[in-house]
Amino acid sequence: MGEFIDKTKAAANKAAGSAKDAIGEATGDERLRSEGKAQKARGTAQNVSGSIKGALGDDI
């Protein structure tokens, strides 16, 4: 179950981060762009975490 949850959260963070990044770029808001990039990075980390859990048998 942990793998699925991590990968679901990862997808949500990546999508939200991409939206923030795009809106920040369109409006010239560098803070929002930075937040979006950070959120996408968190999503990538969560995806890796989910993959590791899956490889270890999802018991973590």
Side-chain angles (χ1 to χ4, degrees):
M1 186 73 147
E3 176 184 12
F4 176 74
I5 291 170
D6 281 353
K7 289 192 173 194
T8 301
K9 287 180 180 179
N13 270 323
K14 286 181 178 181
S18 291
K20 285 181 182 180
D21 189 14
I23 292 169
E25 185 171 352
T27 62
D29 186 340
E30 286 302 316
R31 190 184 111 250
L32 190 57
R33 286 197 73 199
S34 294
E35 286 178 14
K37 289 177 189 292
Q39 192 164 4
K40 285 192 288 187
R42 278 193 306 275
T44 299
Q46 284 174 319
N47 196 33
V48 169
S49 173
S51 294
I52 291 170
K53 286 179 182 180
L56 295 176
D58 208 21
D59 293 332
I60 297 175

